[in-house]
Amino acid sequence: MKILSIETSCDETSLSLFTATETASGVDFDVDSTITQSQIDIHQEFGGVFPALAKREHQKNLVPILLKILNQEAAENPEITSNSEIETILERESELLESFIKYVMPIQNPGINAICVTSGPGLEPALWVGISFAKALGLLWNIPVVPVNHMEGHILSVLVPETNPEQDNSFSVQAELFEFPALALLISGGHTEIVLVKEIGNYEIVGKTRDDAVGEAFDKVARILGLPYPGGPEISKIALLANKDTSTDIVLPRPMLHTKDYDFSFSGLKTATLYLTNDIKAKNNGVIPEHIKALIAYEFQEAAAEVIVKKTLSAINDFGVQTLIVGGGVSANKRIKELLKQKASEIIPAENVYFPSRELTGDNALMIGLAGYFKIKISPDAVYDDIRANGNLTF
Ligand code: KG4
Ligand code: ZN
């Protein structure tokens, strides 16, 4: 089965093309390529993702990425000037419609059997661009379009081995994917969730943030410290410079550390960081000395890591699972990864702790294609004829 997948839920425009072949022991995935175009530079000046801009950029990026992934030169066919059904599908994406008619309409289907597209959660205007593009392609090539939950993509991203990052590669997965039930910790810019994975396609959220997502807190704290967006990598970079031996009163709270549930709260931690930073600024003529900035970043990261690790370990114990899957942009955080790996492997087998490869921690279409592939496998006859963007899609 040859699958084209599309991801546009936030600020990455990503397409992936792979062929999945069933074998006696599982499935072989042969990835043609995954191309991800980040919009970070464009959103940076707003200090976060600006939905209308994201929508515009996705419209601009999709056709060039598709041509590249299919190894096609942009070639117009002057005989093709319009198509009323495609016009209806892409009526709210006028810029995309124009390039679709010009450059995509002349392309024959290169043997693709299905298109998988993120339908949520995410920014609805951004999601719609990917969905409308997928529907237009599905109509053009007369193949099914399968909606995918972005968070399921993050869970399944761990199936791609570390040694085989995004580019031209192949990898196999065993029929027994994980030891079920498994626990998934999903930490990203929009989500902080602990999910019980009973099997692929069967998920139950057992804990989540009551306010900000952890990635969002990293981004906001970075802004407080005058660091650029996205803040996660910036915070962890300067946290390494912290000299923890200097006696300091830089202490931040660990919200909900001792509550009996698996929920989180990061907004109070962010506010505490703001007050602390303002105090320091007031005493230093409005500036934060660099060594103190590093200490705040360090302490914030420790506080976030500590609650994440504690809640995840409690859930592993309470649900009696033997497998931990970690996914989402914040899973790239070295400190959180190190602590989770170390502590989790004290209670479950170390080889049952899964993280995505560095390239797949952030948003990408390969994980969406994988989730779509398993969805098709589980329900081969399902028909999805009214796919809509759902910004708050949940399990
Ligand atoms: O999964 P993702 O790419 O997009 C969403 O679906 O949200 O996650 C992006 C988030 C951003 O908030 C970013 O600051 C955070 O992941 N992030 C990190 C790190 N790298 C990315 N947070 C902490 N440490 C990192 N190294
Ligand atoms: Zn994501």
Side-chain angles (χ1 to χ4, degrees), residues 7 9 150-151 154 188-189 328-329 361-363 367:
E7 155 64 37
S9 70
H150 180 86
M151 303 315 286
H154 276 303
S188 72
T361 54
D363 294 341
M367 70 181 192

PDB file of all heavy atoms in Angstrom, residues 7 9 150-151 154 188-189 328-329 361-363 367, ligand 2:
ATOM      1  N   GLU A   7       0.517  16.848   6.733  1.00  0.00           N
ATOM      2  CA  GLU A   7       0.394  17.423   8.082  1.00  0.00           C
ATOM      3  C   GLU A   7       0.480  18.946   7.974  1.00  0.00           C
ATOM      4  O   GLU A   7       1.478  19.487   7.483  1.00  0.00           O
ATOM      5  CB  GLU A   7       1.535  16.874   8.972  1.00  0.00           C
ATOM      6  CG  GLU A   7       1.951  17.722  10.165  1.00  0.00           C
ATOM      7  CD  GLU A   7       0.878  17.916  11.231  1.00  0.00           C
ATOM      8  OE1 GLU A   7       0.110  16.974  11.495  1.00  0.00           O
ATOM      9  OE2 GLU A   7       0.817  19.032  11.794  1.00  0.00           O
ATOM     10  N   SER A   9      -1.140  20.940  10.824  1.00  0.00           N
ATOM     11  CA  SER A   9      -1.946  21.362  11.983  1.00  0.00           C
ATOM     12  C   SER A   9      -1.427  22.612  12.668  1.00  0.00           C
ATOM     13  O   SER A   9      -2.164  23.281  13.384  1.00  0.00           O
ATOM     14  CB  SER A   9      -2.024  20.223  12.999  1.00  0.00           C
ATOM     15  OG  SER A   9      -0.762  20.022  13.604  1.00  0.00           O
ATOM     16  N   HIS A 150      -3.767  13.877  15.055  1.00  0.00           N
ATOM     17  CA  HIS A 150      -2.369  14.296  15.185  1.00  0.00           C
ATOM     18  C   HIS A 150      -1.676  13.647  16.398  1.00  0.00           C
ATOM     19  O   HIS A 150      -0.498  13.271  16.328  1.00  0.00           O
ATOM     20  CB  HIS A 150      -2.361  15.823  15.314  1.00  0.00           C
ATOM     21  CG  HIS A 150      -1.024  16.445  15.467  1.00  0.00           C
ATOM     22  ND1 HIS A 150      -0.239  16.775  14.389  1.00  0.00           N
ATOM     23  CD2 HIS A 150      -0.319  16.814  16.568  1.00  0.00           C
ATOM     24  CE1 HIS A 150       0.889  17.319  14.826  1.00  0.00           C
ATOM     25  NE2 HIS A 150       0.869  17.353  16.148  1.00  0.00           N
ATOM     26  N   MET A 151      -2.414  13.491  17.492  1.00  0.00           N
ATOM     27  CA  MET A 151      -1.810  12.950  18.707  1.00  0.00           C
ATOM     28  C   MET A 151      -1.513  11.451  18.550  1.00  0.00           C
ATOM     29  O   MET A 151      -0.548  10.937  19.110  1.00  0.00           O
ATOM     30  CB  MET A 151      -2.705  13.204  19.929  1.00  0.00           C
ATOM     31  CG  MET A 151      -3.041  14.669  20.190  1.00  0.00           C
ATOM     32  SD  MET A 151      -1.625  15.798  20.066  1.00  0.00           S
ATOM     33  CE  MET A 151      -0.762  15.427  21.579  1.00  0.00           C
ATOM     34  N   HIS A 154       1.783  11.336  16.967  1.00  0.00           N
ATOM     35  CA  HIS A 154       2.910  11.480  17.909  1.00  0.00           C
ATOM     36  C   HIS A 154       3.190  10.157  18.628  1.00  0.00           C
ATOM     37  O   HIS A 154       4.346   9.811  18.869  1.00  0.00           O
ATOM     38  CB  HIS A 154       2.644  12.598  18.919  1.00  0.00           C
ATOM     39  CG  HIS A 154       2.996  13.970  18.404  1.00  0.00           C
ATOM     40  ND1 HIS A 154       4.253  14.291  17.947  1.00  0.00           N
ATOM     41  CD2 HIS A 154       2.268  15.101  18.289  1.00  0.00           C
ATOM     42  CE1 HIS A 154       4.282  15.573  17.571  1.00  0.00           C
ATOM     43  NE2 HIS A 154       3.080  16.082  17.762  1.00  0.00           N
ATOM     44  N   SER A 188       3.668  18.491  24.068  1.00  0.00           N
ATOM     45  CA  SER A 188       3.934  19.326  22.891  1.00  0.00           C
ATOM     46  C   SER A 188       3.560  20.765  23.200  1.00  0.00           C
ATOM     47  O   SER A 188       3.322  21.137  24.349  1.00  0.00           O
ATOM     48  CB  SER A 188       3.150  18.796  21.691  1.00  0.00           C
ATOM     49  OG  SER A 188       1.784  19.069  21.864  1.00  0.00           O
ATOM     50  N   GLY A 189       3.494  21.574  22.129  1.00  0.00           N
ATOM     51  CA  GLY A 189       3.148  22.975  22.316  1.00  0.00           C
ATOM     52  C   GLY A 189       1.674  23.162  22.648  1.00  0.00           C
ATOM     53  O   GLY A 189       1.279  24.153  23.256  1.00  0.00           O
ATOM     54  N   GLY A 328       5.894  14.031  20.946  1.00  0.00           N
ATOM     55  CA  GLY A 328       5.611  15.472  20.907  1.00  0.00           C
ATOM     56  C   GLY A 328       6.895  16.279  20.992  1.00  0.00           C
ATOM     57  O   GLY A 328       7.947  15.774  21.402  1.00  0.00           O
ATOM     58  N   GLY A 329       6.806  17.543  20.607  1.00  0.00           N
ATOM     59  CA  GLY A 329       7.973  18.419  20.511  1.00  0.00           C
ATOM     60  C   GLY A 329       8.834  18.462  21.760  1.00  0.00           C
ATOM     61  O   GLY A 329      10.066  18.492  21.673  1.00  0.00           O
ATOM     62  N   THR A 361      10.505  14.253  16.608  1.00  0.00           N
ATOM     63  CA  THR A 361       9.883  14.760  17.833  1.00  0.00           C
ATOM     64  C   THR A 361       8.861  15.835  17.474  1.00  0.00           C
ATOM     65  O   THR A 361       7.782  15.887  18.032  1.00  0.00           O
ATOM     66  CB  THR A 361      10.916  15.355  18.817  1.00  0.00           C
ATOM     67  OG1 THR A 361      11.681  16.344  18.131  1.00  0.00           O
ATOM     68  CG2 THR A 361      11.827  14.297  19.393  1.00  0.00           C
ATOM     69  N   GLY A 362       9.213  16.675  16.520  1.00  0.00           N
ATOM     70  CA  GLY A 362       8.304  17.743  16.101  1.00  0.00           C
ATOM     71  C   GLY A 362       7.278  17.225  15.105  1.00  0.00           C
ATOM     72  O   GLY A 362       7.241  16.023  14.788  1.00  0.00           O
ATOM     73  N   ASP A 363       6.455  18.131  14.609  1.00  0.00           N
ATOM     74  CA  ASP A 363       5.382  17.722  13.708  1.00  0.00           C
ATOM     75  C   ASP A 363       5.941  17.288  12.354  1.00  0.00           C
ATOM     76  O   ASP A 363       6.795  17.955  11.790  1.00  0.00           O
ATOM     77  CB  ASP A 363       4.399  18.884  13.532  1.00  0.00           C
ATOM     78  CG  ASP A 363       3.694  19.188  14.844  1.00  0.00           C
ATOM     79  OD1 ASP A 363       3.690  18.321  15.726  1.00  0.00           O
ATOM     80  OD2 ASP A 363       3.144  20.294  14.971  1.00  0.00           O
ATOM     81  N   MET A 367       4.699  10.450  10.663  1.00  0.00           N
ATOM     82  CA  MET A 367       3.917   9.878  11.775  1.00  0.00           C
ATOM     83  C   MET A 367       2.419   9.850  11.433  1.00  0.00           C
ATOM     84  O   MET A 367       1.689   8.959  11.877  1.00  0.00           O
ATOM     85  CB  MET A 367       4.185  10.655  13.075  1.00  0.00           C
ATOM     86  CG  MET A 367       3.625  12.065  13.104  1.00  0.00           C
ATOM     87  SD  MET A 367       4.031  12.893  14.666  1.00  0.00           S
ATOM     88  CE  MET A 367       2.948  14.342  14.566  1.00  0.00           C
TER      89      MET A 367
HETATM   90 ZN    ZN B   2       2.486  18.019  17.431  1.00  0.00          ZN
END
